[in-house]
Amino acid sequence: MNYELFKSIHNLSGHSYALDNLMVFITNKAIYIFALALLILWIFGSKSMKRAVLYAGGTGVLALIVNVLIAYIYFEPRPFVTHDIQTLIPHAADSSFPSDHSTGAFTIAIAMWFRYKKIGIPLFILALLTGFSRIWAGLHYPFDVVGSLIVAIVVSYVIVKLSRLFDPIVNWIISIYDSIFDRSSRSNKSSRT
């Protein structure tokens, strides 16, 4: 069933240059879009938004560590290793399950959704496109992406439930950032007068 689903999605590739390029762009660059979004939200956001950004980024890193542990326990060959298919981009023949790109994208989106739904929803849509693009490009099976979603949900939920433990660290990081940039903005103002 996993391979049949994979074929139904991956077989859509190779028919439209524009769609293939879009999927390659998403599969290669979505992680940078997530990073840029978090950076913008950090720079221009309130203290509450900065907390959400730190939690989203930290939860994403933790979810990727979980992926590494899963890959040590269970190795799933990538579709292009097991089957005679053409990928849209080259990739190492490492473990396919779960998808790291999808896990990172889903985790950031879900972690942000727990704190700011209006931001989490568009990020989740981009995460869905990221997972879909990984299948389209021939790099992952659909269950790899579903596995990524499950990892993202579980890790995000656990971190939300344990956030009281992490709040002091998060607040400390924000206070250091604020003290550095408050000082520099004060010194800029005093040098102008």
Side-chain angles (χ1 to χ4, degrees):
M1 180 177 154
N2 197 17
Y3 181 55
E4 293 305 315
L5 281 170
F6 167 80
K7 282 195 301 185
S8 66
I9 296 169
H10 178 65
N11 286 346
L12 297 171
S13 69
H15 302 292
S16 166
Y17 182 76
L19 274 176
D20 285 351
N21 279 341
L22 175 64
M23 291 299 163
V24 167
F25 175 81
I26 292 169
T27 209
N28 284 333
K29 306 298 183 192
I31 200 68
Y32 300 113
I33 296 169
F34 278 96
L36 181 61
L38 290 180
L39 180 63
I40 290 168
L41 292 169
W42 173 268
I43 292 171
F44 298 106
S46 63
K47 183 174 182 175
S48 174
M49 180 61 73
K50 285 178 175 55
R51 287 171 47 80
V53 167
L54 284 175
Y55 272 109
T59 306
V61 170
L62 184 59
L64 290 173
I65 292 170
V66 170
N67 272 14
V68 170
L69 296 174
I70 291 170
Y72 277 120
I73 296 167
Y74 173 74
F75 184 87
E76 172 75 36
R78 290 190 182 261
F80 59 84
V81 172
T82 308
H83 307 283
D84 184 27
I85 61 158
Q86 293 295 314
T87 61
L88 295 183
I89 55 174
H91 198 284
D94 54 357
S95 183
S96 187
F97 182 86
S99 163
D100 289 338
H101 282 76
S102 301
T103 298
F106 280 130
T107 306
I108 290 169
I110 292 167
M112 189 59 75
W113 179 83
F114 275 126
R115 290 164 177 85
Y116 285 94
K117 288 185 178 30
K118 287 184 179 178
I119 295 170
I121 290 169
L123 290 177
F124 190 78
I125 292 168
L126 180 57
L128 286 172
L129 284 171
T130 302
F132 187 78
S133 73
R134 303 296 288 174
I135 303 164
W136 182 290
L139 305 177
H140 285 285
Y141 293 105
F143 286 5
D144 300 339
V145 175
V146 172
S148 297
L149 178 58
I150 292 167
V151 169
I153 291 169
V154 170
V155 173
S156 297
Y157 181 78
V158 168
I159 294 300
V160 163
K161 289 299 179 186
L162 297 177
S163 61
R164 281 191 210 152
L165 295 174
F166 300 109
D167 280 346
I169 297 166
V170 167
N171 292 333
W172 178 72
I173 292 169
I174 293 169
S175 69
I176 289 174
Y177 174 85
D178 286 345
S179 69
I180 291 169
F181 284 94
D182 279 351
R183 254 189 244 146
S184 67
S185 66
R186 274 189 241 130
S187 64
N188 285 341
K189 286 178 185 174
S190 64
S191 64
R192 288 183 200 149
T193 57

